């Protein structure tokens, strides 16, 4: 689907991003010692409504695989991961909340070999000095998300839903919709992203690096949280955040036109998949975006606010007796 966020998004978002800005922001601190895990970035939230419309069709494209351009007629698709959970409905009583901006995010990248070949949208290698899996991308404006023969990249984003819902104690989440801004310099074929709910046990930290060696207080593909030299916590699956996540939705891009900066929205995420976030805020570890398609740029919360990921919630009165 394509999503056009109207009044609510306009309140939250402003400005304009050039097509290929180089990262030049300062590093921010992160505390790796902690009893409670740090959140190294913050963002405002707002309430409003949004709507989406489906897109169809496909265009010929060119995929860039870690520096190798290769003309293709098709791109990889993930299997459908939309949850089978039933959506709560409450006609005439629905409340639209959001779109919410992220409170933290990070890219998680792995590759073969001792030198990371992963590139940004300028086709510049981000840091070839060590393996991708040992690097932190917590302050990276955006990176490509996708898969190649050499490796893969995933994107994790947290919207602080539990904190926002404290203002709505009598409401339950019926469904949620994630919207992202994908980008590429040339037309691309249909690409399908899988959206997963990060496992509650996969407590992760954002980190304060832009494609640099992960240290104490950071995360990486290898470790979701480097708490200390003798306390390094791996992902529950051992294979990054997505493989241990709960399948929740898909984002079908349809044709991705060169230089387009349109929001694309997910299929509905069942509110029942997020219910434990409200019962236990420490269980909220956000959503993970992945695809088996060749890499495509995804804008992160470090980008200009007009292109950050957004999460919209549909609320219903909580069922009698809670839940």
């Amino acid at each position: 689907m394509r999503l056009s966020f109207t009044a609510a998004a306009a309140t939250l978002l402003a400005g304009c991003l050039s097509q290929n800005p180089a990262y030049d922001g300062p590093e921010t601190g992160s505390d790796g010692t902690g009893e409670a895990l740090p959140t190294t970035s913050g963002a405002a939230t707002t309430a409003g409504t949004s709507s989406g419309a489906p897109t169809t069709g496909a265009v010929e494209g060119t995929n860039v695989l870690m520096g190798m351009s290769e003309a293709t007629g098709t791109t990889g698709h993930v299997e459908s991961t939309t949850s089978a959970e039933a959506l709560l409905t409450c006609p005439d009583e629905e409340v639209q909340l959001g779109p919410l901006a992220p409170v933290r995010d990070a890219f998680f990248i792995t590759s073969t070999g001792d030198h990371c070949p992963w590139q940004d949208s300028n086709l510049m290698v981000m840091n070839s000095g060590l393996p991708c899996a040992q690097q932190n991308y917590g302050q990276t404006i955006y990176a490509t998300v996708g898969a190649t023969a050499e490796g893969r990249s995933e994107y994790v984003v947290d919207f602080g839903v539990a904190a926002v819902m404290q203002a709505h104690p009598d409401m339950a989440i019926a469904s949620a919709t994630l919207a992202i801004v994908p980008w590429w310099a040339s037309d691309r074929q249909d690409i399908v992203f899988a959206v997963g709910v990060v496992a509650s046990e996969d407590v992760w930290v954002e980190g304060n690096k832009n494609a640099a060696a992960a240290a104490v207080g950071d995360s990486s593909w290898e470790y979701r949280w480097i708490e200390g030299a003798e306390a390094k916590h791996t992902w529950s699956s051992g294979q990054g955040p997505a493989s241990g996540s709960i399948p929740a939705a898909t984002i079908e891009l349809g044709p991705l036109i060169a230089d387009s900066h349109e929001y694309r929205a997910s299929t509905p995420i069942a509110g029942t998949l997020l219910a434990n976030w409200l019962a236990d805020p420490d269980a909220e570890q956000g959503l993970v975006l992945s695809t088996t398609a060749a890499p495509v740029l995804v804008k992160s919360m470090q980008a200009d606010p007009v292109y950050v990921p957004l999460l919209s919630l549909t609320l219903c009165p909580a069922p009698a007796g809670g839940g």
Side-chain angles (χ1 to χ4, degrees), residues 1 82 176-178 248-252 265-269:
M1 289 193 300
T82 303
T177 302
L178 173 66
T250 55
I251 300 178
E252 299 185 12
S266 72
T267 54
I269 300 168

Side-chain angles (χ1 to χ4, degrees), residues 4-14 46-50 98-99 263 305-306 310:
S4 174
F5 287 93
T6 51
T11 301
L12 174 66
L13 306 177
T46 185
T49 60
S50 60
Y263 273 99
V306 77
L310 298 172

Side-chain angles (χ1 to χ4, degrees), residues 45 97 100 159-173 277-282 284 313 315:
T45 61
L97 182 62
L100 310 179
F159 294 90
V161 170
V164 173
M165 286 296 293
Q166 289 180 2
H168 305 275
D170 299 324
M171 305 296 285
I173 300 174
W277 293 359
L278 309 188
D280 178 12
D282 290 339
E284 183 175 353
L313 304 177
L315 311 182

Side-chain angles (χ1 to χ4, degrees), residues 16 24 42 50 62 68 79 113 117 130 156 192 206 232 267 269 283 319:
C16 172
D24 60 1
S50 60
T62 299
M68 295 179 61
E79 294 181 4
L130 68 163
V156 178
V192 179
E206 186 177 39
K232 299 180 180 181
T267 54
I269 300 168

Side-chain angles (χ1 to χ4, degrees), residues 48-71:
T49 60
S50 60
S51 61
T55 63
T56 58
V59 293
E60 292 298 316
T62 299
N63 294 338
V64 176
L65 311 180
M66 290 187 180
M68 295 179 61
S69 291
E70 152 180 309

Side-chain angles (χ1 to χ4, degrees), residues 129-143:
L130 68 163
C132 299
Q134 297 177 10
Q135 299 185 38
N136 173 255
Y137 302 89
Q139 299 301 311
T140 299
I141 291 181
Y142 47 68

Side-chain angles (χ1 to χ4, degrees), residues 220-246:
S220 67
W221 183 274
E222 289 184 340
Y223 301 110
R224 55 183 171 81
W225 178 23
I226 303 177
E227 186 178 6
E230 303 301 323
K232 299 180 180 181
H233 308 282
T234 59
W235 297 95
S236 59
S237 69
Q239 297 294 324
S243 60
S245 68
I246 301 171

Side-chain angles (χ1 to χ4, degrees), residues 180-205:
I180 60 168
V181 175
W183 181 93
W184 204 246
S186 59
D187 292 350
R188 291 285 296 271
Q189 291 278 1
D190 291 41
I191 296 170
V192 179
F193 284 106
V195 180
V197 178
V198 178
S200 58
E201 63 267 30
D202 277 340
V203 178
W204 59 280
V205 295

